[in-house]
């Protein structure tokens, strides 16, 4: 066998001034299950809401933690 997963990769946080991470960049998810696509879409929506409402990116971090809680558990 040459490879196996999941290959977890994480980030300490998903934002910096003027930058936000979504999808695999925010924390790699096993590509075989399709969960990464779902998490990417719901997190992108949360980020879009934060940006549209001109809220701090820290609000996106809190949303990401909530949206991914069950998956990370």
């Amino acid at each position: 066998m040459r490879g196996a997963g999941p290959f977890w990769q994480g980030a300490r946080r998903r934002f910096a001034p003027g930058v936000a991470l979504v999808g695999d960049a925010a924390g790699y998810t096993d590509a075989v299950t399709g969960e990464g696509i779902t998490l990417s879409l719901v997190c992108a929506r949360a980020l879009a809401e934060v940006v549209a409402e001109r809220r701090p990116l820290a609000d996106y971090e809190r949303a990401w933690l909530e949206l991914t809680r069950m998956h990370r558990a």
Side-chain angles (χ1 to χ4, degrees):
M1 182 180 302
R2 303 194 101 194
F7 302 108
W8 299 106
Q9 296 294 319
R12 281 180 268 184
R13 63 182 193 169
R14 267 115 315 259
F15 73 97
V19 177
L21 303 176
V22 295
D24 287 351
Y28 181 77
T29 301
D30 190 359
V32 175
T33 65
E35 286 178 290
I37 293 170
T38 301
L39 291 174
S40 295
L41 293 173
V42 297
C43 291
R45 183 178 188 174
L47 175 60
E49 290 172 3
V50 166
V51 171
E53 295 170 6
R54 301 177 74 85
R55 296 182 355 228
L57 288 177
D59 287 358
Y60 167 62
E61 178 75 13
R62 284 188 285 279
W64 185 91
L65 288 168
E66 180 63 31
L67 291 167
T68 62
R69 176 169 306 182
M70 288 186 64
H71 172 74
R72 290 180 292 111

